[in-house]
Amino acid sequence: MSNSKADACNRLKELAARSPGLCIKDLMVEPGRVEQYSISAAGLHVDFSKHLVDDDVRSALLGLAESVGILDLAKQVFAGEPVNRTEHRAALHMAMREPSPDLDPETTNQIVAARERLKSVSDSIRKGSWSGSVITDVINIGIGGSDLGPHMACSALREFSDGPRCHFISNVDGAELLNLLDGLNPETTLPIVSSKTFTTSETMVNARTTLAWLKNSSKLARPEERCIAVTAYPDNARTFGIPTDQILTFPESIGGRYSLWSSIGLPVCIAIGYDAFSELLSGAAAMDDHFLSTPPDRNIPLTLGLLAVWYNNFLGAQSHAVIPYCQRLRLLIDHLQQLEMESNGKSVTLSGNQVETETGPVTWGQTGTNGQHAFFQLLHQGTRLIPVDFIGVIRDRLSNSSHHRLLLANMIAQSEALMLGASDENLHRHLPGNRPSTTILLDELTPATLGALIALYEHRVFTQAAIWDTNPYDQFGVELGKTLTGSILDGTGEHDASTLNLLIRAGLK
Ligand code: F6P
């Protein structure tokens, strides 16, 4: 650790030791608190004034950011440098929204060509001219990043959807897929098999079942010819039987959880059209630009990443709740769980040493107001420190004034209640308050503001990883479970007594 980073951490430890004296309510009356602790950019307004942070903590956190050179590291990501050091790759998600002038020309050309293909394929599906047939329904078959981003975006942007219906199958739970297929017309249904590797067992099994359904019910001799594949490994899709001209690709330097911006976004393009999809990319690019070029003290993702480090590493918080007050953003939580926990669930530094601090906290949540009637009790009176992100949409054309006013009033009241608490001599009724939250307001839920919101969280993840010196772009931890599943199914595994007993009871042995 550099001296300047060690100094910044020591300073933060000292400040954390006196943090029980920090009172958000008192900080709030300081002149200019809200103005200085709020930032607007890319259609988002972010209020972080309700945090256990005063000017001393803020400047120490900014010192920590400077000691690791976070914004310089972010510029390396944008320029396409091999920042994914454990896999010797770049991380090209920002380039997919807006290629950097520093990117090598061949990569830029590939990105432009992939976008043109995305446009022409989605246009022809929407116009009814794809392989000569009208498509009423699309099934995206994929899991993890090949499902969560596009599924979330399609639900969030329902207002803009004027194309064929998009369905998403991720789990290998056959009951889900068979139930979906039951209600679809095979003559007008287009399966998209989305898998970066095109080897993920759940996706391959779901795809084969869907092909069998197509074959049996529509008499297609070669149902693969009715499918589209989206993958970074086109040879694997060809081996599966998908014709070359129905395979959309993307670079292997795009991680699954960062792949919404690539051809993996095809279902979103089909649902809302390529122009609206381009606005999603532009909104994310606007947040990229804000992150890369705004001074640290007015930089939204940097600030939220630093706050996460403050709570996680200095105040001992173990989790972080995300509560969107918009039902159409329900799947944002699932998307952020993969983005945050697959990226930051690491214990080894980039140089191969065991980390000496805690890394990624647990991300969890539920939409408001549903969460209020489930777990908010714990947020208000439980023993744990859980910083909350409230996300609200100021104008919602799909709602009406009486509903929307009640929804937003609930959100703002909850952040106020967490901060204020309520004294009561009866301890059962006492709410301690002083519980921190960020409020993120979107002017409206549009492709552009959704893009900016997701990019904000991507950079928040990046900021934390940069401080911990971990790689947010690999995910080796998920491999062992996949290998053991394979050995259970092919009967080659040796098992401990508990596992063996469970396998026998489950009929797998
Ligand atoms: O198992 C985790 C994971 O590798 C994710 O990182 C990825 O998004 C998901 O599986 C799906 O992988 P693929 O797109 O290759 O099917």
Side-chain angles (χ1 to χ4, degrees):
M1 192 188 298
S2 69
N3 287 343
S4 57
K5 185 175 176 189
D7 288 348
C9 288
N10 288 336
R11 174 76 183 129
L12 284 161
K13 274 184 208 150
E14 281 166 27
L15 292 168
R18 53 126 248 219
S19 75
L22 279 179
C23 171
I24 308 174
K25 238 183 332 186
D26 294 347
L27 292 168
M28 197 54 74
V29 296
E30 288 179 359
R33 170 82 183 180
V34 174
E35 293 71 27
Q36 284 154 23
Y37 284 72
S38 300
I39 310 173
S40 300
L44 271 49
H45 175 78
V46 180
D47 180 329
F48 53 98
S49 62
K50 291 193 181 85
H51 275 289
L52 291 162
V53 170
D54 60 8
D55 290 349
D56 290 341
V57 174
R58 195 172 177 194
S59 91
L61 287 168
L62 290 168
L64 178 61
E66 199 183 329
S67 73
V68 261
I70 292 179
L71 296 182
D72 290 335
L73 293 172
K75 284 175 188 147
Q76 292 175 16
V77 180
F78 188 47
E81 291 183 27
V83 290
N84 177 354
R85 293 199 340 230
T86 54
E87 296 179 304
H88 314 289
R89 289 177 190 159
L92 291 178
H93 49 289
M94 279 198 264
M96 297 308 291
R97 339 215 251 213
E98 179 70 61
S100 151
D102 298 329
L103 217 56
D104 76 81
E106 197 189 323
T107 309
T108 304
N109 291 342
Q110 277 170 7
I111 292 171
V112 172
R115 277 231 208 138
E116 280 166 7
R117 183 119 167 78
L118 199 52
K119 175 170 172 26
S120 71
V121 170
S122 59
D123 278 355
S124 73
I125 293 167
R126 284 166 60 83
K127 283 186 197 136
S129 53
W130 172 257
S131 63
S133 49
V134 170
I135 300 296
T136 56
D137 293 87
V138 167
I139 314 176
N140 188 81
I141 302 169
I143 197 163
S146 301
D147 163 74
L148 291 165
H151 195 176
M152 175 266 296
C154 282
S155 327
L157 300 175
R158 198 180 73 212
E159 179 183 354
F160 302 88
S161 178
D162 55 3
R165 286 179 291 270
C166 290
H167 311 273
F168 289 83
I169 283 292
S170 50
N171 202 331
V172 74
D173 180 343
E176 286 304 296
L177 176 59
L178 298 177
N179 182 47
L180 172 66
L181 295 178
D182 233 11
L184 294 178
N185 176 355
E187 307 289 343
T188 60
T189 297
L190 170 69
I192 299 175
V193 186
S194 265
S195 173
K196 177 175 172 181
T197 55
F198 229 81
T199 58
T200 303
S201 63
E202 296 97 316
T203 298
M204 296 301 112
V205 168
N206 279 331
R208 284 199 193 93
T209 303
T210 306
L211 291 180
W213 169 78
L214 273 182
K215 190 167 186 172
N216 294 338
S217 44
S218 71
K219 312 282 175 273
L220 277 178
R222 290 213 9 88
E224 294 84 354
E225 289 174 1
R226 168 68 74 72
C227 291
I228 290 180
V230 183
T231 181
Y233 297 91
D235 285 349
N236 292 350
R238 269 189 286 274
T239 308
F240 189 86
I242 312 279
T244 299
D245 61 355
Q246 288 171 212
I247 301 175
L248 276 70
T249 58
F250 61 98
E252 66 168 7
S253 303
I254 295 179
R257 53 200 175 272
Y258 299 92
S259 62
L260 165 66
W261 323 102
S262 71
S263 311
I264 289 285
L266 178 61
V268 189
C269 274
I270 294 172
I272 66 175
Y274 182 81
D275 289 348
F277 181 73
S278 300
E279 287 168 25
L280 181 82
L281 301 185
S282 309
M287 184 53 73
D288 296 341
D289 187 46
H290 167 85
F291 182 50
L292 293 167
S293 61
T294 307
D297 62 336
R298 302 304 296 159
N299 193 311
I300 300 175
L302 185 79
T303 301
L304 297 195
L306 291 172
L307 286 171
V309 168
W310 170 239
Y311 289 112
N312 186 53
N313 296 116
F314 298 96
L315 299 190
Q318 294 178 342
S319 80
H320 159 236
V322 179
I323 320 286
Y325 278 68
C326 173
Q327 200 57 35
R328 305 197 299 283
L329 289 174
R330 170 64 189 83
L331 294 177
L332 177 69
I333 301 156
D334 301 30
H335 178 70
L336 294 183
Q337 284 188 321
Q338 188 198 19
L339 175 65
E340 300 197 351
M341 296 202 272
E342 202 164 75
S343 298
N344 282 342
K346 307 290 164 61
S347 329
V348 175
T349 64
L350 278 167
S351 42
N353 298 312
Q354 196 66 30
V355 291
E356 288 172 2
T357 53
E358 297 292 346
T359 60
V362 172
T363 302
W364 61 282
Q366 169 60 276
T367 48
T369 57
N370 299 10
Q372 287 173 211
H373 297 275
F375 54 77
F376 269 52
Q377 166 62 34
L378 185 148
L379 295 182
H380 288 291
Q381 284 191 310
T383 54
R384 294 180 188 281
L385 170 64
I386 304 176
V388 178
D389 285 359
F390 291 105
I391 303 174
V393 177
I394 299 174
R395 283 180 299 282
D396 188 349
R397 282 187 297 255
L398 296 192
S399 187
N400 64 31
S401 153
S402 59
H403 284 255
H404 202 56
R405 281 170 57 82
L406 181 59
L407 188 65
L408 290 183
N410 266 282
M411 178 183 78
I412 295 168
Q414 288 299 330
S415 72
E416 191 177 32
L418 285 169
M419 174 184 72
L420 292 180
S423 294
D424 199 305
E425 282 175 10
N426 177 349
L427 284 184
H428 294 291
R429 293 179 181 276
H430 177 75
L431 273 73
N434 214 26
R435 302 194 167 200
S437 66
T438 301
T439 301
I440 303 175
L441 293 175
L442 280 62
D443 295 339
E444 290 183 77
L445 180 54
T446 63
T449 55
L450 181 69
L453 180 66
I454 302 164
L456 158 56
Y457 277 98
E458 288 181 358
H459 300 318
R460 180 183 177 279
V461 162
F462 172 83
T463 298
Q464 294 168 76
I467 288 173
W468 299 322
D469 191 29
T470 51
N471 182 3
Y473 303 118
D474 65 16
Q475 61 283 322
F476 296 115
V478 300
E479 295 308 323
L480 176 62
K482 296 181 191 176
T483 310
L484 293 184
T485 302
S487 69
I488 285 173
L489 291 173
D490 65 21
T492 56
E494 296 274 315
H495 305 289
D496 63 89
S498 158
T499 307
L500 190 58
N501 186 36
L502 292 170
L503 289 173
I504 293 167
R505 281 177 179 272
L508 291 170
K509 194 93 183 160

